[in-house]
Amino acid sequence: MLCILCFASCSNLKHLPEGEKLYTGAEVQVEGEQLPRKEKKRLEDELSDLTRPLPNSKFLGMRLKLFFYNLAGNPKKEKSPAAFIKKKMGEPPVLYSSVDIEKNRNILVNSLQNQGYFKAESQVDSSVAEKKASLTYTLAPGSRYMISKVGFPADSSALAKAIRADTAETLLKLGEPYDLTTIKAERERIDKYLKEHGFYYFNPDYLIVKADSTQGGSDVELYVRVKENAPRKAREVYRINNIYIYPDYSLQEDTTRLQGDTVFYHGFHIFDPKEKFKTHVFRRTMFFQTGDIYNLEDHNLSLNRLVHLGTFKFVKNQFTEVQPESRHRLDVSYYLTPMPKKSLNAKLSGTSKSNNFVGSEVSVGWLHRNAFRGAEQLQLNLTGGFETQTSGQQSRTGGGSYFLGAEVDLQYPRFITPFYVSSTGAYVPRTRFTGAYELRNRANYYSINSYRFSFGYIWKESSRKEHTLNPVSITFVQPFNTTPLFDSLKRADPTLRNSFDRQFILGANYSFTYTDQLETERRHNFYFQGMLDLSGNIAGLFTGKNSPTDQATIFRTPFSQYIKAEADARSYYKINDGLTWANRLILGAGQPYGNSSSLPFVKQFFIGGSNSLRAFRARSLGPGSYDAETSAENSGEETPGSFFPDQAGDLKLEANTELRFDLVSALKGAIFADAGNIWLMREDPLKPGAAFSSNFYQEIAVGTGLGLRVDLSFFVVRLDVAFPLRKPWLPEGERWVIDQVDFSDKNWRKENLVFNIAIGYPF
């Protein structure tokens, strides 16, 4: 490493132009006995980011980009490998002669003055060694000026009264330091408040904050004033006059096409000669009414709801002052350009899973964005696919599967309830009806018909919070064409039998999602999703007490009874540009009762695979310390687990951590570690060690690995390679296998290295 460092450094300096020096950066030092140590550190960190130019970037102490720039030389062809290295991987040297020292000094002093250090002074020293040079800016801020008085307009105008009405919320606090950023924010705050109260033409530039620092000491008085040249219109309150809506507007056509008869509905003039939309659509999206005082919040809410209808491609509004101007009224027009009413899409995909399954899936979808002229969205989906295992147990027995499915999804842009539910947020709530059918066949085992119907609501409380409530969720599962092999497995394993019996799943479910990931300027982002799923509760009230051996039925078919909850929390911390620490924690539990001794198979928990514990093949881990393959080998008998590859549980615990970093352009890397397992609620004599106990932490599986990602923002291809560090099925005391890691051993690589190819990030 030292040799590489010395070689790269010497090589970089050797290529500098004659008489030039490599600029290695600037240091900012803040002096002043009156300043607290914490304040000095804050100023030094903040001011260090302001000096320009930035020096050449480093990686592990080496200026690798500069090294590649020099290594490429002067390529003769623009499309040669050398030109690629120079442009894409290289970076030209930052020369000391390019630094404008006086400009940097003025920027630093000005920044201090903007924070209330009105008497700041600075000095600059240079350090030159061989062909490298750096700078040190020494700053003496002096005393910081504090706000001793804040004044607002005192005249009797409507504008002055409105400004004074909200002074309790001012950002300019007595005793706080003078700060230009806070003053600008105060102007924005006042402007927003005024626009909420009818001052449509007001602008924050019409405000000026005068500072008086002549009172002696380190006190400053601030006076908020309206500029004398502010136009008359900015001082007046405006009301809404007429509201015009054009729901079939085209950007390509002349606006004179919009002249003609309109339908007057609930105060709106709607121009829709082809009657593409029912008029009630706009009553639920418009927050303005004729005669209302203009309000910025209502302005934005109306636009947001129109956009989130999902029917219009472009949404534009325009305010026009009504003549004569003395009326202080505004006509508002909404120009809505619809998306194509119908669309058809098809998708063909190939899959390769970590459990050696490969397959393909094709889906065709048809969408109608205005099914019944009320912005309803009707979607039909047809899917089909197959999977087969290239190596492993099922490949030896000719295993594989195929599935066919159809789904109808209808969404109304409102709450459909027997009672009135207010909806005044920025997002349109939706009532959703879903019906689906799926046929799934697994060779050598079974075929299943699955019918599903749900009715519920989706609504966003804010940009961060979303709720989904399905008060009605019905699933009917009907296995058929089961093979003698699978029948024998069910007879031997009651848990498997109960999971795959013909049954109804009748209940309700609710999920809540919180995320601030769209706020990309935040250094720390958080995501949380919680889910509660209930089945058979209401049906159980009518059928009375029942048990797995004496099951109640509906239409001669048993129904499942269980309570299931799951939580998924994720944290994303940006250490710096190009380096992010991502973490995830999943907790899940399901409790069968009454009619059920186990959760239905489709509701059970699984672990392992490309989006879970990547060092273990999909659905192959657990439950607990149980290992189907080892159990079969030890007993010399074929057990249900040794045949049936999917291991499921009633409890799940999973934790993932991943350090993500940029490599070159769209290529990114990751170092990760995963841990977790699943367990059964009850003991199963056929699966020793599968039940949850107080020693569950001793049955945690751990894996680690590296990843490469091609991240094109809209599309991410991921390749991860992982290997286990802890195998919970091994005897106690032997479960950590770190000392057995040997990449040079072919057998170890074959048994332990797991490659995952996937689309998108794992979390």
Side-chain angles (χ1 to χ4, degrees), residues 85-268:
I85 292 174
K86 188 164 188 173
K87 291 181 180 180
K88 300 296 183 181
M89 302 175 63
E91 181 182 74
V94 179
L95 303 176
Y96 180 66
S97 61
S98 67
V99 182
D100 190 333
I101 298 176
E102 188 62 21
K103 183 179 179 180
N104 277 329
R105 191 185 68 81
N106 290 335
I107 288 173
L108 296 175
V109 171
N110 186 57
S111 178
L112 286 173
Q113 291 173 343
N114 289 341
Q115 297 184 56
Y117 296 100
F118 294 154
K119 299 179 180 179
E121 297 178 351
S122 70
Q123 292 181 347
V124 186
D125 292 317
S126 60
S127 176
V128 179
E130 297 181 358
K131 289 189 174 185
K132 295 188 290 186
S134 62
L135 294 168
T136 300
Y137 296 89
T138 304
L139 300 169
S143 298
R144 194 174 192 182
Y145 279 68
M146 300 294 179
I147 300 173
S148 60
K149 182 180 179 180
V150 180
F152 293 91
D155 60 87
S156 59
S157 67
L159 179 60
K161 289 179 180 178
I163 293 175
R164 292 198 301 272
D166 197 42
T167 55
E169 301 299 324
T170 181
L171 304 177
L172 306 177
K173 306 292 186 182
L174 298 181
E176 292 291 320
Y178 172 96
D179 192 303
L180 184 60
T181 302
T182 304
I183 290 174
K184 291 179 178 179
E186 173 68 2
R187 295 202 314 167
E188 297 287 346
R189 184 197 67 81
I190 293 174
D191 174 66
K192 182 179 179 181
Y193 178 81
L194 293 175
K195 282 190 168 64
E196 297 287 355
H197 292 80
F199 293 89
Y200 173 75
Y201 287 104
F202 198 80
N203 187 297
D205 289 337
Y206 298 151
L207 289 172
I208 186 171
V209 180
K210 297 182 177 181
D212 183 0
S213 60
T214 63
Q215 306 301 316
S218 297
D219 291 337
V220 60
E221 297 179 355
L222 301 180
Y223 298 93
V224 180
R225 296 289 182 263
V226 179
K227 293 180 180 179
E228 294 182 359
N229 61 351
R232 182 189 58 78
K233 292 195 296 185
R235 304 171 185 266
E236 302 293 345
V237 173
Y238 279 79
R239 291 182 178 272
I240 301 300
N241 191 47
N242 291 322
I243 303 170
Y244 300 96
I245 302 173
Y246 304 96
D248 191 23
Y249 177 72
S250 173
L251 296 176
Q252 285 77 30
E253 297 183 27
D254 195 331
T255 55
T256 56
R257 180 182 70 88
L258 303 177
Q259 304 302 320
D261 294 335
T262 61
V263 175
F264 187 75
Y265 176 79
H266 280 266
F268 310 129

Side-chain angles (χ1 to χ4, degrees), residues 356-640:
N356 297 320
F357 271 95
V358 296
S360 180
E361 178 180 340
V362 61
S363 63
V364 178
W366 177 83
L367 174 64
H368 196 306
R369 295 185 175 88
N370 191 26
F372 309 116
R373 297 176 42 239
E376 302 90 354
Q377 296 200 1
L378 175 63
Q379 188 164 5
L380 306 177
N381 292 306
L382 299 175
T383 59
F386 73 92
E387 279 188 344
T388 185
Q389 196 172 33
T390 56
S391 62
Q393 275 184 271
Q394 291 199 66
S395 65
R396 296 192 297 269
T397 60
S401 67
Y402 69 84
F403 67 92
L404 300 171
E407 182 182 76
V408 180
D409 185 271
L410 176 61
Q411 296 187 28
Y412 288 84
R414 64 184 185 277
F415 285 121
I416 298 178
T417 59
F419 48 86
Y420 176 73
V421 177
S422 175
S423 170
T424 58
Y427 300 91
V428 177
R430 296 190 177 276
T431 301
R432 183 178 186 182
F433 298 87
T434 303
Y437 165 76
E438 184 179 275
L439 166 64
R440 187 170 291 271
N441 174 276
R442 175 161 286 185
N444 300 324
Y445 291 108
Y446 60 81
S447 296
I448 283 185
N449 280 324
S450 177
Y451 304 87
R452 177 168 53 88
F453 171 79
S454 65
F455 160 73
Y457 309 98
I458 304 171
W459 73 98
K460 293 191 72 170
E461 181 182 339
S462 65
S463 61
R464 295 183 176 185
K465 303 176 184 177
E466 182 173 353
H467 306 262
T468 301
L469 172 64
N470 290 313
V472 177
S473 179
I474 302 172
T475 302
F476 175 60
V477 179
Q478 183 186 38
F480 68 101
N481 288 343
T482 58
T483 65
L485 170 62
F486 189 66
D487 290 337
S488 66
L489 296 179
K490 290 202 300 179
R491 285 192 296 270
D493 188 347
T495 300
L496 186 65
R497 181 178 64 251
N498 294 329
S499 298
F500 276 88
D501 275 347
R502 176 183 175 188
Q503 59 190 297
F504 275 110
I505 302 173
L506 308 171
N509 54 72
Y510 167 77
S511 69
F512 168 75
T513 303
Y514 173 93
T515 179
D516 57 17
Q517 290 177 276
L518 293 177
E519 302 169 25
T520 55
E521 73 283 355
R522 295 173 62 93
R523 189 165 189 178
H524 177 251
N525 292 106
F526 183 74
Y527 170 93
F528 172 81
Q529 184 177 62
M531 183 274 293
L532 179 64
D533 188 359
L534 309 175
S535 177
N537 306 81
I538 297 177
L541 296 177
F542 291 98
T543 58
K545 289 187 177 181
N546 42 69
S547 68
T549 56
D550 184 19
Q551 292 181 314
T553 63
I554 296 177
F555 303 117
R556 298 182 181 180
T557 300
F559 57 88
S560 297
Q561 288 187 290
Y562 63 83
I563 299 175
K564 178 185 175 183
E566 187 173 5
D568 180 346
R570 307 175 188 181
S571 169
Y572 305 89
Y573 183 75
K574 297 175 185 175
I575 299 174
N576 57 42
D577 290 340
L579 185 63
T580 300
W581 185 26
N583 297 277
R584 178 176 67 178
L585 176 65
I586 298 177
L587 300 173
Q591 177 63 60
Y593 68 94
N595 258 14
S596 303
S597 61
S598 62
L599 295 177
F601 186 74
V602 294
K603 298 292 184 178
Q604 290 178 319
F605 294 103
F606 305 91
I607 201 166
S610 60
N611 292 324
S612 182
L613 269 65
R614 285 159 280 186
F616 302 88
R617 306 192 187 282
R619 300 189 174 198
S620 65
L621 180 62
S625 59
Y626 173 72
D627 178 54
E629 189 172 344
T630 303
S631 297
E633 291 175 356
N634 292 341
S635 64
E637 299 178 358
E638 294 173 338
T639 65

